[in-house]
Amino acid sequence: MPDLFDLVVVGGGVIGLSVAWRATGRGLRVAVVDPAPAASHAAASHAAAGMLAPVSEVTYTEEPLLRLGTASLERWPAFAAELSRASGHDLDYRTDGTLDVAFGADDLAALDDLAAFTAALGLPAERLTGRECRRLEPMLAPSVRGGLLAGGDAWVDPRRVTAALLAALGRTGATLVPGRVTGLLTASGAACGVRLESGGHLDAGRVVLAAGAWSGSLEGVPPEALPPVRPVKGQIMRLRSPEPVLSRCVRGVVHGSHVYLVPRGDGELVVGATQEELGFDTRVTAGGLWELLRDARELVPGVTELEVTETIAGLRPGTPDNLPLVGPTIVPGLDLATGHHRGGVLLAPLTADLCAGEDTGSVRPAELAELAGLCSPLRFARGTPGPSPLSESGLAARERDFTENTTREHR
């Protein structure tokens, strides 16, 4: 390994790998450190269903998250095409939309309110009758009385995405370190590398902490700079049938709980997900699986005939305001890319652009600066001096700081 890396990424999930891949595209020497990159069964990206659904997941109190999600969704077609070319992998990226369905009168009223809300925001969504829903998805239950089709939503297989990212990184010469980071190294108050559990260390001009739910406990990071993330447990089932049961993602609220069904091209159907505040508990429980199957059966009765191929519990990194933490911290040389909760796969392209200091989207600089400000870790560091991340000057200072701290670039 080189004596000095331009960038060390702590965490090998979809976020960390996307950040690393985008940075290698700038010619930076990059190392990714993770005990099992892309394969940890407790990691959110390994368990995730892969919905790219900012419209169907919009809520009345999370418009900033919606803005981040729609900006990242716009990047997904180019991101998927570029990654497929770079890796030679098929991502099973699909763009047939998400269908939210309703059963009772209260559900229909809530769906009408949601349709009005999305229309007010200028989001693409089509209100459907129960018959129109079943015309789109014949396997839906007869009791479905209406729906809302978010035609712009998409989905992808996160496991294929992370496998493709690993393959693409391998072709760029990035260094993958299968190990655990135990601490941040600093010099004169600035991050300069990481300490490994093996006893060694990696020196770097910049460190990006992208360890998901585990990001809040890295030794050597000052308490005021530690990301306020917590693990949010999610149990998921994977089913299989000889022929696809659905042609698009289907979501609904059953017994007060949200449930979704995400089809894959190979006949797999992902059913999820519970949302449990139980710390770092990754047990798969009979109660959790029963609730998922019970609720999924209300939407699509035929799921009870499918083969169960996997049950898994992952840990999403949640934050106090449900917004991710992306960008520089109060520690020079230390960036965060964590706290994405349910949206890690969706937000991967935008996160990678922000952390790599460049934009592959089509937004104007002022809009990109505002997106960076929405997810800036500095929002939790009150009284921090320096330019606001919401301003163009703040973004320029951030990019200048990134460049000054990357000591080697190879074109």
Side-chain angles (χ1 to χ4, degrees), residues 43-218:
S45 54
H46 185 76
M51 289 186 296
L52 312 177
V55 175
S56 61
E57 289 202 347
V58 63
T59 68
Y60 298 101
T61 60
E62 294 186 345
E63 288 188 44
L65 183 60
L66 171 66
R67 294 194 59 192
L68 294 172
T70 54
S72 199
L73 181 61
E74 291 173 358
R75 288 162 166 75
W76 253 103
F79 182 85
E82 184 183 355
L83 180 56
S84 293
R85 289 193 302 268
S87 64
H89 288 220
D90 174 17
L91 308 184
D92 195 16
Y93 171 65
R94 305 171 69 180
T95 58
D96 298 301
T98 300
L99 180 61
D100 280 278
V101 298
F103 295 90
D106 290 343
D107 294 333
L108 284 171
L111 209 60
D112 286 335
D113 290 342
L114 182 59
F117 181 56
T118 56
L121 295 175
L123 300 174
E126 180 183 1
R127 186 71 166 82
L128 303 175
T129 65
R131 180 174 296 179
E132 289 170 331
C133 289
R134 284 185 290 277
R135 190 177 299 130
L136 289 177
E137 298 294 345
M139 296 300 290
L140 284 175
S143 54
V144 168
R145 297 180 58 186
L148 188 67
L149 177 64
D153 283 357
W155 69 98
V156 72
D157 187 340
R159 296 182 182 181
R160 293 193 183 200
V161 173
T162 52
L165 286 166
L166 284 172
L169 282 169
R171 295 181 180 184
T172 65
T175 300
L176 299 176
V177 182
R180 190 179 304 279
V181 170
T182 58
L184 178 73
L185 299 177
T186 59
S188 301
C192 62
V194 295
R195 183 172 61 252
L196 304 178
E197 189 177 48
S198 63
H201 67 275
L202 301 176
D203 297 324
R206 181 161 291 261
V207 175
V208 172
L209 180 53
W214 292 268
S215 299
S217 58
L218 186 63

Side-chain angles (χ1 to χ4, degrees), residues 153-406:
D153 283 357
W155 69 98
V156 72
D157 187 340
R159 296 182 182 181
R160 293 193 183 200
V161 173
T162 52
L165 286 166
L166 284 172
L169 282 169
R171 295 181 180 184
T172 65
T175 300
L176 299 176
V177 182
R180 190 179 304 279
V181 170
T182 58
L184 178 73
L185 299 177
T186 59
S188 301
C192 62
V194 295
R195 183 172 61 252
L196 304 178
E197 189 177 48
S198 63
H201 67 275
L202 301 176
D203 297 324
R206 181 161 291 261
V207 175
V208 172
L209 180 53
W214 292 268
S215 299
S217 58
L218 186 63
E219 292 184 7
V221 179
E224 60 273 20
L226 279 173
V229 294
R230 71 188 191 282
V232 182
K233 178 180 177 180
Q235 299 187 55
I236 281 184
M237 300 180 68
R238 282 177 164 79
L239 312 177
R240 185 171 297 280
S241 64
E243 299 293 333
V245 174
L246 300 171
S247 62
R248 58 182 51 77
C249 296
V250 171
R251 296 161 49 100
V253 179
V254 182
H255 305 295
S257 300
H258 291 269
V259 64
Y260 57 74
L261 299 94
V262 180
R264 302 275 187 243
D266 59 1
E268 182 179 80
L269 186 69
V270 183
V271 180
T274 65
Q275 188 156 305
E276 306 166 63
E277 300 278 357
L278 294 173
F280 288 92
D281 174 18
T282 56
R283 296 174 301 158
V284 175
T285 65
L289 297 181
W290 176 76
E291 290 175 4
L292 288 177
L293 195 56
R294 176 201 64 188
D295 295 349
R297 183 176 180 273
E298 294 284 344
L299 299 180
V300 182
V303 297
T304 57
E305 305 299 321
L306 305 186
E307 176 190 4
V308 178
T309 59
E310 183 184 70
T311 59
I312 190 171
L315 299 175
R316 314 173 186 94
T319 65
D321 58 5
N322 287 337
L323 290 170
L325 297 154
V326 181
T329 69
I330 61 173
V331 177
L334 175 64
D335 275 21
L336 299 183
T338 186
H340 293 78
H341 200 201
R342 301 188 308 269
V345 181
L346 167 63
L347 295 171
L350 177 61
T351 300
D353 284 352
L354 293 174
C355 286
E358 63 180 32
D359 178 36
T360 60
S362 58
V363 300
R364 297 186 300 272
E367 293 174 310
L368 184 64
E370 188 170 0
L371 293 172
L374 290 175
C375 54
S376 170
L378 299 180
R379 69 185 186 272
F380 292 110
R382 302 302 179 192
T384 302
S388 167
L390 287 170
S391 66
E392 288 188 61
S393 60
L395 181 66
R398 176 192 181 285
E399 294 186 356
R400 183 175 63 251
D401 184 50
F402 182 94
T403 303
E404 290 175 352
N405 279 277
T406 52

